[in-house]
Amino acid sequence: MFDEKNEVQQRNIELLAEGYWYEDLPPIIDIEKIKPFIKKAMKDIEGRKYTEFKMDTSGIIKEYLNVVSPEYIYGDGIEPITFFDFKKNGALREMQVPNLKYYCSFIYNTMVVYEKLFVRLYTDLSLKDYIASSNSYILFNETFHVHRDYTGDEEIIERGFFAVKNSKTTGQLAHEENNLRYLKKQGSRIYSVKVDIESFYPNVYTHYLSKIKRFEPHSKLQCDEFFDFLDSYNMKTNNNQTKGIAAGVFSSAISAELLMLCVDFEIEKEIGQDVEYIRYVDDMTFFSDSLEKIYSILPKVQMVLNKYRLRINNNKTEACKNIYNMSYVDMYELKKRFSFFCFDEDGITVLDKDVFYNIKGYISVAYDNDKKSEIKTFLTLLKTAINKGKIIFLEEQIQFKKYVVSYLLQLSCVEPVFSSRCYKVIMEIFEQSRGEEIYGELLKELRSKSDYIDTTYHDSVMQIWHYYVLSQYEEEAEIEELIISFKEREINPIILASFVKTGKGKNEEIFKCIKGKYSAIEKKDGEKDYWKRSIMLSKWWFPLFIIYLKDEKNYSEFYNSNHFHLFYKNMKAFYTGRSANIEEQVLGVPDKKGETVVEDDLDDLSWLI
C-alpha cells in the first residue's frame, strides 16, 4: 500500500508529521529531520516490524501491545505532555503533545483509509452537502498555486493534500480559503450570531468517535475500524481518559472535525432556509436578516449538541451587524505605514526613535481596537524584516535593541496571546547582537522576567518560549545553575528538553533531573531500576528522546535497554543522517569502513541497537 513513488501519499505523510508539533511551540524537535523516518516507518509498520502495533484484518492498527504505563495512570494509558496556551480573552487553553511513537500509528491508519474515507468525503459530489457548513475542513478538494511575493517562489498544493494548520504553507492557504467560504455563507445577510461550544476539546467524549460511524455522513463510508481506532487512540494517548481529546495536534483536528460533521448535518436539518450556518472547529456562526430568527433556533442547536454531550457557552455568544465583521488584515495599510514590510523592494530602515514610537503607536491603537490578529501578523512581519536586513540598528542607536526587547517583554506579559511571536522577534535581535556589548544587557533584561513568568504563567507557552530563548543565548554557567534549579521545582518536560546540548556526555545533569523526578513517584521496593519500565510511556519520554538524539552517552544503561523502544532507536539514524545500511551495522559485523563494532564502542553506537 505504501509506495515511495506515490508523491501525493508521501507528501501527505509529511504533512501529517508536521501536524504533530504545535505551531506556537519553539522548534525543540526538528520535524524536517524526522519526516524521512516516518515515511519509512509506514512501510515498516505495514511489514509488521514493530510488534507493539496490533492490526486487524482490514490493516488498521487496532490496539497497542506491551504498554507498561506509569502506576499513576489507570490501565494501559500513555501520558501526554500538557501545557497551556492563551485564548484571545487571556483565558488558558489546555494543550497536549502526545507520544510521537503513537502519533505515528495515527498517521499510519489515516493513510490506510485515505482514499476510502477522506478522498471520498471531500471529493465525492454526492457527499458535498455534508461538508458544506464546515470551515475547518481537513482536506483540500482542489489544486492551488501559492505565490510568495517577497521571494517569487510558487508552491503547488495538490487536490487531496491534508489542510494541516501547523504547516506554514497549507495553514496559510487554509486560512485564506476560510475567509472566502465565510464571505460566501454571509452573503448580504445583515446580522450574525457567533456561538462557542464550552471547553470543546476537554469535553469531547472519545466513545462518540466510535459511535459516529453509524451517523451520516460516515455511515455511507464504511470505515468502522478507523472510527473505533480514533476512540481508542484518543483515549489511550491521553492518560486512558474517555473524556477529552488532546488539543494542538492534527490527530485531534481530524477527530474533532469528523465528529462535528455529524453535528453540522443535524443542525442544518433544524435551522431551516432563513438562516445560514458555518462552523470553524467549535465556533458556530449563524447569518440572517433577523436576529430574532437566529435566537429562536439556538435552543434547537443545543438539543443537537446534547446528543454529543456538548453545550453552548452562553457567555461567549455574540451578535453583530455584518458590516462591522472584519477579520481581514489590511496588508496595504501595513506596507504603507511601515516600508520595511515591502520585502520585494529595495530599501533599509534604521530603527531609531521615530520608528520605535511608530511601532508602539501602531500596536497601541490596534490593541485598543481589539485587532489582535492584525498585531500577530505585524509581529511576524517584524521578525521577517529584521531577519532579511530590512531593519538595521546603527551603533549610535544601539540602545534601541534593548528598548525593543523590553517593549516586547512588556507586551508578552500584558497580553500573553502574543508571547510566541514576541519571543521570535526577540530571538532575531539576539542573533543580530552576538559579540556586541549590548548582548549582556539584553540577557539581563530577559532574566529579569523569569520570576514573574514562573509565578504568573507556569506551564504556559510563554514560559516555554522564555526558557527556550535563554537556552539558546544564556551563558554556560547560568544554564548550569538553571538546570540545577529545575531539580528542586516543577518543570515542564518541553522546557527541560530545550536545554539539551549536542555532544557526548553533555547532558548528565538533565538526565539525572529526569531520573530523579520520575524515580520519586515510580519506584518499587527491591528494584533499583524500576523507573525504566514505564518512563517512555510518561511525559518524560520527550526530553529523554531529545538527549538520545543529541548525546551519544548511554546514561544509566537506559538507551541500550529494551525499555527504550526500537522505534526511537531507529529514528535517531535518520535524525543524524546515518540511515544508510543501518540494518547491516550491528555488533560484531564490519561496518562500511571495514571496522568491526565491538562492545567497547557501545556508548558511541547505542543508536544502532
Side-chain angles (χ1 to χ4, degrees):
M1 189 202 84
F2 288 94
D3 180 7
E4 61 186 21
K5 295 181 180 179
N6 185 333
E7 294 182 6
V8 172
Q9 180 194 73
Q10 295 299 299
R11 180 57 181 142
N12 269 325
I13 293 171
E14 291 182 348
L15 285 168
L16 292 171
E18 289 179 43
Y20 173 72
W21 194 248
Y22 182 54
E23 60 185 342
D24 276 342
L25 285 176
I28 296 169
I29 187 169
D30 191 339
I31 296 297
E32 288 298 317
K33 291 182 178 180
I34 288 177
K35 285 179 185 178
F37 166 77
I38 291 178
K39 288 193 284 189
K40 184 176 186 299
M42 297 300 105
K43 291 183 69 70
D44 288 341
I45 293 172
E46 184 180 30
R48 307 302 199 270
K49 179 173 182 176
Y50 298 108
T51 57
E52 55 264 58
F53 298 133
K54 183 178 180 181
M55 298 180 189
D56 61 19
T57 55
S58 69
I60 290 285
I61 295 173
K62 184 179 181 181
E63 60 181 296
Y64 306 128
L65 303 178
N66 304 318
V67 175
V68 182
S69 302
E71 290 290 337
Y72 51 82
I73 294 177
Y74 174 77
D76 54 350
I78 301 157
E79 184 181 22
I81 302 171
T82 299
F83 63 97
F84 297 91
D85 201 359
F86 303 93
K87 300 180 182 180
K88 284 186 178 181
N89 63 0
L92 292 173
R93 177 190 286 117
E94 185 176 284
M95 314 291 286
Q96 287 89 16
V97 177
N99 191 297
L100 179 58
K101 173 181 172 182
Y102 297 94
Y103 181 78
C104 285
S105 71
F106 158 76
I107 297 178
Y108 180 87
N109 279 351
T110 299
M111 295 310 302
V112 168
V113 300
Y114 169 73
E115 295 282 350
K116 188 177 178 181
L117 173 60
F118 296 102
V119 171
R120 188 177 170 203
L121 181 61
Y122 284 91
T123 63
D124 189 333
L125 293 179
S126 68
L127 300 174
K128 65 186 178 78
D129 290 342
Y130 291 104
I131 62 171
S133 298
S134 173
N135 215 2
S136 54
Y137 51 92
I138 49 182
L139 200 78
F140 293 114
N141 57 11
E142 59 181 297
T143 297
F144 296 89
H145 293 258
V146 180
H147 298 270
R148 293 184 179 86
D149 292 338
Y150 59 89
T151 63
D153 294 340
E154 177 183 271
E155 183 168 348
I156 298 175
I157 304 298
E158 296 279 0
R159 173 180 179 267
F161 277 8
F162 280 108
V164 178
K165 306 301 185 293
N166 294 13
S167 169
K168 185 176 182 180
T169 302
T170 58
Q172 175 188 340
L173 178 57
H175 178 72
E176 293 171 0
E177 283 296 294
N178 289 348
N179 288 337
L180 294 176
R181 293 179 185 215
Y182 188 91
L183 290 173
K184 184 178 179 180
K185 279 282 188 175
Q186 177 182 277
S188 63
R189 294 167 186 86
I190 298 172
Y191 299 103
S192 63
V193 175
K194 294 185 178 182
V195 176
D196 180 71
I197 296 176
E198 187 172 337
S199 301
F200 176 60
Y201 281 107
N203 280 324
V204 171
Y205 187 51
T206 66
H207 290 343
Y208 276 67
L209 298 173
S210 175
K211 189 176 181 178
I212 59 174
K213 66 191 177 190
R214 298 190 291 271
F215 300 168
E216 292 188 63
H218 309 313
S219 58
K220 299 177 181 292
L221 300 170
Q222 298 181 336
C223 292
D224 294 2
E225 296 88 355
F226 183 71
F227 288 98
D228 291 340
F229 164 77
L230 288 180
D231 173 10
S232 175
Y233 162 81
N234 282 285
M235 177 177 64
K236 296 296 184 186
T237 58
N238 191 20
N239 297 307
N240 211 27
Q241 297 179 138
T242 57
K243 185 178 181 181
I245 61 176
V249 64
F250 197 57
S251 57
S252 300
I254 284 183
S255 301
E257 182 63 7
L258 294 175
L259 177 76
M260 291 303 292
L261 287 178
C262 300
V263 174
D264 294 341
F265 176 70
E266 295 195 45
I267 287 177
E268 286 286 3
K269 288 194 299 183
E270 294 290 344
I271 63 178
Q273 296 182 345
D274 294 332
V275 178
E276 282 288 350
Y277 160 69
I278 194 167
R279 173 189 55 80
Y280 179 74
V281 190
D282 60 330
D283 294 325
M284 300 179 288
T285 305
F286 300 89
F287 305 102
S288 178
D289 287 333
S290 168
L291 276 176
E292 290 76 16
K293 185 65 178 178
I294 297 176
Y295 282 116
S296 71
I297 62 144
L298 293 187
K300 294 180 181 179
V301 172
Q302 182 58 66
M303 286 177 62
V304 172
L305 292 174
N306 287 343
K307 299 179 183 180
Y308 299 86
R309 297 173 66 170
L310 300 170
R311 60 184 178 272
I312 293 173
N313 184 348
N314 291 316
N315 293 327
K316 293 185 67 176
T317 300
E318 299 177 359
C320 76
K321 294 177 182 177
N322 289 326
I323 58 170
Y324 300 115
N325 195 343
M326 178 72 172
S327 61
Y328 178 72
V329 176
D330 192 340
M331 290 299 299
Y332 176 79
E333 285 299 321
L334 276 177
K335 289 181 179 181
K336 184 178 178 182
R337 180 163 180 170
F338 301 102
S339 61
F340 45 79
F341 291 159
C342 300
F343 300 123
D344 55 345
E345 299 178 7
D346 294 333
I348 294 173
T349 297
V350 175
L351 204 152
D352 57 14
K353 171 173 61 70
D354 292 334
V355 175
F356 177 67
Y357 283 116
N358 191 16
I359 290 172
K360 286 191 68 173
Y362 162 76
I363 292 177
S364 177
V365 172
Y367 185 74
D368 287 343
N369 289 294
D370 200 31
K371 294 183 177 180
K372 293 183 180 179
S373 294
E374 189 168 310
I375 295 173
K376 287 182 177 181
T377 300
F378 173 86
L379 291 169
T380 299
L381 292 171
L382 182 62
K383 168 190 172 294
T384 304
I386 297 173
N387 176 266
K388 290 183 172 296
K390 299 289 289 184
I391 297 175
I392 62 172
F393 299 82
L394 296 182
E395 187 173 349
E396 58 268 27
Q397 306 280 357
I398 203 70
Q399 282 300 113
F400 279 97
K401 284 188 176 181
K402 182 179 178 182
Y403 300 154
V404 172
V405 168
S406 298
Y407 176 67
L408 291 171
L409 288 171
Q410 288 175 342
L411 180 60
S412 182
C413 290
V414 170
E415 194 58 68
V417 73
F418 302 137
S419 58
S420 65
R421 288 164 176 82
C422 286
Y423 277 99
K424 288 177 183 179
V425 179
I426 289 171
M427 286 189 70
E428 288 295 338
I429 294 174
F430 266 96
E431 285 296 321
Q432 303 282 337
S433 306
R434 291 185 184 275
E436 297 178 355
E437 188 175 340
I438 195 71
Y439 190 88
E441 293 185 44
L442 299 181
L443 271 177
K444 184 178 179 181
E445 199 68 28
L446 199 61
R447 292 181 201 129
S448 72
K449 282 288 174 284
S450 295
D451 288 344
Y452 178 82
I453 290 171
D454 289 344
T455 303
T456 313
Y457 297 115
H458 180 73
D459 261 350
S460 71
V461 167
M462 186 196 295
Q463 189 191 34
I464 291 169
W465 265 104
H466 184 77
Y467 280 102
Y468 176 74
V469 176
L470 282 173
S471 75
Q472 301 299 302
Y473 301 105
E474 184 58 279
E475 297 171 0
E476 193 70 28
E478 294 286 344
I479 287 178
E480 290 178 6
E481 287 188 19
L482 273 175
I483 293 172
I484 291 171
S485 74
F486 292 155
K487 295 179 182 180
E488 307 300 324
R489 56 187 171 122
E490 187 179 341
I491 195 71
N492 193 289
I494 300 174
I495 292 176
L496 208 53
S498 68
F499 283 89
V500 174
K501 305 183 193 73
T502 299
K504 184 176 179 181
K506 290 185 175 292
N507 299 288
E508 188 164 0
E509 290 304 315
I510 295 178
F511 188 89
K512 286 180 179 179
C513 179
I514 298 167
K515 178 182 173 182
K517 286 179 179 295
Y518 194 66
S519 298
I521 56 174
E522 192 76 1
K523 56 187 176 182
K524 193 171 185 179
D525 292 342
E527 289 194 44
K528 183 179 68 171
D529 291 335
Y530 185 71
W531 60 273
K532 291 183 181 180
R533 296 187 181 185
S534 57
I535 195 167
M536 290 305 291
L537 280 303
S538 78
K539 65 181 180 180
W540 298 108
W541 78 270
F542 182 64
L544 285 176
F545 177 56
I546 299 299
I547 291 173
Y548 181 69
L549 293 177
K550 295 185 175 183
D551 190 337
E552 299 291 346
K553 185 169 182 178
N554 183 26
Y555 295 103
S556 295
E557 298 184 354
F558 174 66
Y559 291 118
N560 67 344
S561 71
N562 290 331
H563 302 301
F564 189 73
H565 309 153
L566 178 64
F567 194 86
Y568 304 113
K569 294 174 182 177
N570 288 343
M571 200 180 300
K572 179 168 183 174
F574 287 82
Y575 201 89
T576 56
R578 306 180 192 175
S579 58
N581 300 321
I582 185 172
E583 290 84 0
E584 299 175 8
Q585 299 178 27
V586 294
L587 292 180
V589 178
D591 65 10
K592 291 178 68 177
K593 295 180 180 179
E595 299 171 350
T596 300
V597 181
V598 295
E599 291 188 9
D600 288 342
D601 299 320
L602 190 59
D603 278 356
D604 291 334
L605 298 170
S606 61
W607 59 276
L608 296 173
I609 300 173

